[in-house]
Amino acid sequence: MKRFITLLLTLSLCLGLCAPAAAADFSDVPESHVFYQAIQDCAGKGILSGYSDGTFHPANSVTRAQFCVMLVRAFYPQELSRYESQKSVGWYGSSAALLKDKGILFYGDEHWKDPEVMNRPITRRDMAKFLGNLLKAKGYSVSEADRTAARAQISDFALIGEYYEEAVASVYALGIITGYHDNSFGPSGVMTRGQGAVVIYRTAQCMSTGTLKPVQKEPAVNSDTLVNGKAVTEENVVEFLQEMQKAYPEGMDFSAGYPDGDSSPVRSATYIYERAENPETHTSNIEGCGGWTTLLSDAMFSQKGFEMRKTTLEEARPGDVMVQLDENGRLIHVAMISRSPVTKDGRVSFAVTEAGTDQQGIYRVHWDVDYSWRANSQYTYDIWTRYPN
């Protein structure tokens, strides 16, 4: 059964990469679309392609595996045949192995040879690291003066992480990956298919003359929308969660947590509660249930532009953060609302996505877990939202 589920997930993530190469008039990418030129260029070169219904889905997330394949198709298409033996790793294995040999892939063997890890959405800083390493592999470098200037322009540069700083500063200086309207970079934000096409298109532009040169910067991400560029509506949040479920399927091991969680606005909401199991400590936004909920919230809303505010359980919407409390008001659990509450006969029923421990103590992802609440129950629920007023 596990093998069958993995196969279905892999086929889902491959969709949009394996169709015949040809530029097309995608029904959801009109000429007025901000990424139109880049998407057409990548489609024409067979780097990315559309779906069987004539759509492209520019707002869908890009996985680590997909981005490896995109990079090889764009910059090393003639060398891929030498890595056929690595297909046993997965559909992306040949591309990943090639990039590793070039010094571009920076994941360890225990990660890139694990399809479950590679089928997770790629973050903005990971994509920057890939591109920074690509530039070096091609013999290009960005001056320290340009990187220093980029650092000064990025308002949340302290959150980038030392391992990624040089790469982020380089691609930012070149205009390959820029940031949000408030000058933040949002290192943990998830990249989309449209953005993936743009960064590859712009990287090629930077190297087109044989001398590295900046290009016109991509439009800053609108802080009034979800990270994928769509309006902040319940429908779009549910769609986003469905995409995340493909990348983080039921039962997935979440032991690695979310390293950037303590930089999230979600922390400001959940950290105020004492924990029931140990009142001297507070919940984590990195590990366990708190880390999982924070990752999802940041993936949708980013770490900038959407602060937390309290609402009621009856008014909760998909994407809101649920804090479960005991009779003393101490925190027991943190989860994300995945299905809007329904009130009937004095009982409020709703569903969440959560991370919980199994019999071995390993945190695993679960989707659409049913909860209910009635007045005077043992437990209560505080709800925090990032939807705009």
Side-chain angles (χ1 to χ4, degrees):
M1 176 61 73
K2 182 177 180 182
R3 183 178 180 183
F4 178 67
I5 293 173
T6 301
L7 176 60
L8 287 178
L9 175 63
T10 300
L11 290 173
S12 169
L13 293 168
C14 286
L15 191 60
L17 281 177
C18 57
D25 293 324
F26 301 114
S27 61
D28 55 349
V29 186
E31 290 188 24
S32 58
H33 194 286
V34 67
F35 297 151
Y36 176 80
Q37 185 174 1
I39 290 171
Q40 286 293 307
D41 184 80
C42 286
K45 294 175 180 175
I47 299 167
L48 267 172
S49 51
Y51 293 76
S52 58
D53 62 356
T55 59
F56 183 81
H57 295 294
N60 282 8
S61 59
V62 174
T63 68
R64 296 164 173 174
Q66 288 172 334
F67 195 62
C68 286
V69 173
M70 291 165 63
L71 282 179
V72 170
R73 288 180 178 178
F75 300 103
Y76 297 102
Q78 304 305 320
E79 301 182 41
L80 186 60
S81 60
R82 296 193 288 112
Y83 294 86
E84 289 292 312
S85 62
Q86 293 296 336
K87 283 186 175 180
S88 59
V89 171
W91 64 275
Y92 65 88
S94 300
S95 296
L98 187 158
L99 294 178
K100 182 183 179 185
D101 276 1
K102 298 290 184 181
I104 298 169
L105 179 70
F106 54 96
Y107 303 135
D109 286 354
E110 71 275 19
H111 298 303
W112 77 266
K113 291 185 177 181
D114 184 347
E116 186 175 274
V117 172
M118 293 298 287
N119 285 332
R120 297 176 188 173
I122 190 169
T123 63
R124 291 168 62 80
R125 70 178 183 181
D126 267 23
M127 193 175 281
K129 184 70 173 177
F130 270 106
L131 296 171
N133 289 348
L134 172 70
L135 293 172
K136 289 182 179 179
K138 291 288 188 178
Y140 297 102
S141 62
V142 178
S143 72
E144 182 57 35
D146 288 340
R147 288 201 300 269
T148 298
R151 292 187 184 99
Q153 295 174 44
I154 300 173
S155 63
D156 59 348
F157 196 78
L159 304 179
I160 300 296
E162 184 177 357
Y163 184 69
Y164 296 89
E165 286 181 353
E166 181 180 341
V168 169
S170 294
V171 299
Y172 192 93
L174 292 170
I176 295 173
I177 305 178
T178 55
Y180 298 87
H181 285 302
D182 62 356
N183 294 322
S184 64
F185 187 80
S188 300
V190 175
M191 296 293 280
T192 66
R193 281 167 55 81
Q195 292 169 333
V198 167
V199 299
I200 285 188
Y201 176 66
R202 292 188 182 283
T203 300
Q205 281 186 309
C206 286
M207 299 187 296
S208 62
T209 63
T211 302
L212 197 62
K213 63 175 185 178
V215 297
Q216 179 183 356
K217 291 187 177 182
E218 65 171 287
V221 178
N222 190 337
S223 59
D224 295 328
T225 65
L226 298 174
V227 167
N228 62 15
K230 293 190 176 183
V232 186
T233 65
E234 290 186 45
E235 180 182 11
N236 289 336
V237 167
V238 169
E239 180 185 56
F240 199 107
L241 288 174
Q242 290 171 344
E243 286 297 317
M244 293 297 285
Q245 188 171 0
K246 296 175 184 177
Y248 296 86
E250 179 72 21
M252 177 177 170
D253 186 341
F254 190 65
S255 301
Y258 174 45
D260 298 313
D262 274 347
S263 300
S264 171
V266 179
R267 185 179 188 273
S268 65
T270 57
Y271 196 73
I272 63 176
Y273 300 94
E274 292 181 341
R275 294 177 67 175
E277 63 184 33
N278 185 353
E280 301 301 318
T281 62
H282 297 264
T283 190
S284 171
N285 294 98
I286 295 175
E287 301 173 341
C289 61
W292 169 242
T293 303
T294 305
L295 181 152
L296 287 178
S297 185
D298 285 356
M300 284 189 290
F301 295 99
S302 84
Q303 290 191 355
K304 296 287 183 178
F306 296 95
E307 296 303 317
M308 304 293 293
R309 59 184 174 84
K310 208 168 184 180
T311 186
T312 65
L313 178 57
E314 291 80 3
E315 296 176 336
R317 291 173 283 185
D320 287 347
V321 174
M322 177 206 83
V323 179
Q324 185 180 20
L325 307 171
D326 67 9
E327 66 274 15
N328 297 312
R330 291 174 175 168
L331 184 146
I332 297 174
H333 189 42
V334 179
M336 175 170 283
I337 301 288
S338 60
R339 189 170 65 242
S340 296
V342 175
T343 302
K344 184 178 181 181
D345 299 328
R347 181 181 297 277
V348 183
S349 301
F350 57 100
V352 304
T353 173
E354 62 185 17
T357 52
D358 61 13
Q359 293 180 344
Q360 287 74 44
I362 298 173
Y363 276 101
R364 296 193 180 278
V365 172
H366 301 290
W367 292 89
D368 293 326
V369 180
D370 290 324
Y371 278 75
S372 65
W373 175 82
R374 186 187 294 274
N376 301 317
S377 297
Q378 179 182 2
Y379 303 120
T380 57
Y381 300 94
D382 279 357
I383 305 296
W384 294 84
T385 188
R386 297 180 76 179
Y387 283 83
N389 282 313

